[in-house]
């Protein structure tokens, strides 16, 4: 039986395609996955069926075609994009945040922006399941306005080279799923696709992974999506699933449209980050990360956090293809911190 969406209600997809268990479930076609998420974004599915569908997708694991369809449905039904004149690097770390280690992406993004690589970051507010600190909360602690409408976010990027997009304003229907996601108790595919919303219509995405297989899946998603617009992806092994590079021996995955995914390993100690993951832990993630950000940008810290910020900033510059090597990026990062340009940029963001 068909309706205004098509012939595949979630209950039928459960019965005939995805719901038979991890080993016997089948993958959906692009059309089926697109219709499924359109129905979810209508906010009308039966809640029992919705929870079962999310869990079945978690068990069977979505492929790139399904994820690409989900991204396209989200972009068409929920995302309010605002494209700046600049071409920023899109940083969409896991929205449910970090609980143990400092969030360094604000500092790294500001340093990269001061060096000439525009950067966009985006997050929600206590997103399930972890509901921990994210980009928004560090910016709030710094005094940067975060409740921006998308056009204001785009203006921030063009005026200062760094911009924040707030999920409730640029992706309101996904934000409206908050309660249902919270009641699930586990992550769903929404946690993956919301990080790929690309509210600034950027060409380049920077993200992180626990395992290289996830980076491959994100690249497959970018290839399969008709709307997301990424033609370059750089991902690395991040701390707590966030886009702060993990100390030690770390894999980096790089893809540009028309090329195959390539991966290489870096030793962070070779780039001045000779520390253990525990060295980046803090007591209060949002407040301590903000204090660290301000101190590093002012040049008042020359410790492990400063080293980590410079390396993370270098990777953003490298993702944006504004430097030819990570070493060159680290030199540029050190220069904008020493010259005061990074600190000045943070002040501009606070007065925006």
């Amino acid at each position: 039986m068909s309706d205004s969406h098509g012939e595949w209600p979630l209950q039928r997809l459960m019965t005939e395609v995805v719901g038979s268990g991890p080993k016997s479930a089948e993958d959906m076609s692009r059309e089926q996955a697109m219709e499924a998420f359109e129905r979810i974004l209508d906010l009308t599915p039966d809640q029992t069926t919705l929870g079962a569908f999310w869990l079945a997708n978690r068990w069977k694991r979505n492929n790139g075609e399904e994820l690409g369809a989900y991204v396209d449905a989200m972009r068409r039904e929920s995302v309010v994009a605002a494209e700046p004149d600049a071409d920023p690097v899109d940083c969409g770390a896991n929205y449910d945040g970090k609980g143990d280690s400092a969030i360094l992406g604000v500092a790294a993004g500001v340093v990269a922006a001061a060096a000439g690589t525009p950067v966009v970051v985006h997050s929600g507010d206590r997103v399930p399941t972890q509901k921990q600190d994210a980009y928004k909360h560090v910016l709030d602690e710094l005094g940067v306005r975060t409740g921006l409408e998308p056009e204001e976010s785009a203006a921030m990027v063009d005026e200062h080279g760094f911009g924040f997009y707030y999920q409730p304003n640029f992706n309101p229907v996904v934000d409206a799923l908050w309660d249902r996601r919270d009641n699930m108790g586990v992550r769903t595919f929404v946690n993956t696709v919301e990080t790929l919303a690309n509210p600034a219509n950027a060409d380049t995405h920077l993200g992180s992974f626990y395992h290289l297989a996830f980076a491959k899946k994100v690249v497959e998603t970018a290839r399969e999506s008709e709307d997301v617009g990424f033609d370059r992806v750089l991902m690395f092994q991040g701390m707590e699933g966030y886009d702060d590079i993990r100390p030690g021996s770390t894999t980096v995955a790089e893809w540009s449209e028309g090329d195959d995914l390539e991966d290489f390993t870096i030793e962070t100690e070779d780039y001045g980050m000779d520390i253990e993951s525990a060295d980046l832990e803090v007591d209060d993630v949002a407040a301590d990360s903000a204090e660290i950000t301000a101190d590093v940008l002012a040049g008042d810290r020359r410790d492990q956090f400063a080293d980590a910020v410079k390396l993370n900033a270098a990777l953003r510059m490298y993702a944006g293809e504004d430097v030819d090597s990570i070493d060159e990026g680290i030199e540029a990062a050190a220069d904008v911190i020493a010259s005061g340009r990074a600190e000045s940029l943070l002040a501009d963001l606070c007065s925006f």
Side-chain angles (χ1 to χ4, degrees):
M1 176 178 287
S2 65
D3 57 23
S4 60
H5 283 290
E7 300 180 350
W8 291 97
L10 298 188
Q11 187 176 21
R12 183 183 178 194
L13 285 169
M14 284 294 297
T15 302
E16 299 184 24
V17 186
V18 303
S20 60
K23 294 182 179 180
S24 57
E26 297 179 5
D27 292 328
M28 290 174 285
S29 67
R30 173 182 168 81
E31 291 73 20
Q32 288 171 329
M34 176 80 77
E35 181 180 333
F37 205 24
E38 287 173 349
R39 289 176 180 275
I40 293 169
L41 294 173
D42 264 357
L43 306 179
T44 57
D46 175 85
Q47 293 191 31
T48 301
T49 308
L50 174 58
F53 181 79
W54 272 339
L55 195 57
N57 276 261
R58 178 182 173 90
W59 283 343
K60 87 167 192 66
R61 300 183 181 180
N62 291 119
N63 62 26
E65 182 178 25
E66 291 168 326
L67 290 171
Y70 291 153
V71 169
D72 288 349
M74 177 182 66
R75 290 269 300 176
R76 296 172 191 181
E77 302 296 327
S78 180
V79 173
V80 182
E83 184 174 339
D85 293 331
D87 184 16
V89 174
D90 171 83
C91 299
N94 285 343
Y95 279 20
D96 57 354
K98 296 177 77 174
D100 297 314
S101 58
I103 294 173
L104 303 175
V106 173
V110 171
V111 169
T117 297
V119 170
V120 158
V121 301
H122 44 96
S123 79
D125 188 1
R126 312 295 179 199
V127 171
T129 56
Q130 295 183 158
K131 295 184 284 188
Q132 293 177 329
D133 293 320
Y135 274 123
K136 170 183 166 50
H137 308 105
V138 178
L139 290 165
D140 286 341
E141 291 284 345
L142 286 165
V144 177
R145 189 161 57 100
T146 57
L148 302 169
E149 295 299 326
E151 291 296 338
E152 293 179 295
S153 300
M156 178 185 278
V157 178
D158 282 331
E159 289 184 27
H160 302 302
F162 178 96
F164 174 75
Y165 286 71
Y166 185 37
Q167 184 187 43
N169 293 341
F170 77 81
N171 203 352
V173 187
V174 167
D175 180 65
L177 292 169
W178 195 100
D179 286 341
R180 298 185 190 184
R181 294 171 64 187
D182 189 37
N183 286 328
M184 278 295 297
V186 294
R187 289 176 174 173
T188 71
F189 64 75
V190 182
N191 290 83
T192 298
V193 300
E194 69 187 348
T195 68
L196 302 174
N198 195 13
N201 290 338
D203 294 328
T204 300
H205 174 72
L206 181 140
S208 70
F209 56 87
Y210 284 113
H211 304 290
L212 183 59
F214 183 76
K216 295 178 180 177
K217 189 167 290 188
V218 169
V219 169
E220 290 171 4
T221 302
R223 286 173 173 155
E224 293 288 345
S225 170
E226 296 176 356
D227 292 342
V228 72
F230 295 131
D231 57 25
R232 178 167 166 77
V233 173
L234 188 82
M235 301 186 73
F236 50 75
Q237 288 176 299
M239 295 187 65
E240 299 187 66
Y242 223 72
D243 57 8
D244 301 316
I245 196 163
R246 187 184 71 185
S249 181
T250 296
T251 300
V252 180
E254 181 177 5
W255 170 78
S256 295
E257 189 171 20
D259 297 331
D260 293 329
L261 176 71
E262 297 183 356
D263 63 271
F264 55 93
T265 300
I266 66 171
E267 304 296 333
T268 62
E269 65 183 42
D270 294 339
Y271 299 96
M273 188 176 161
D274 186 10
I275 56 174
E276 303 291 334
S277 294
D279 295 323
L280 297 177
E281 291 181 358
V282 292
D283 294 325
D284 183 323
V285 172
D288 292 346
S289 297
E291 181 179 354
I292 290 164
T293 296
D295 289 347
V296 169
L297 298 186
D300 293 337
R301 296 186 81 125
R302 294 174 177 81
D303 57 5
Q304 72 273 22
F305 292 105
D307 294 337
V309 165
K310 285 184 282 189
L311 178 54
N312 279 282
L315 284 164
R316 284 151 174 77
M317 295 179 224
Y318 181 76
E321 299 183 290
D322 293 314
V323 295
D324 294 326
S325 68
I326 297 173
D327 282 321
E328 184 181 344
I330 289 173
E331 291 179 8
D335 178 64
V336 298
I337 292 172
S339 69
R341 297 203 300 276
E343 183 181 28
S344 178
L345 177 51
L346 178 60
D348 290 340
L349 292 172
C350 289
S351 62
F352 177 80

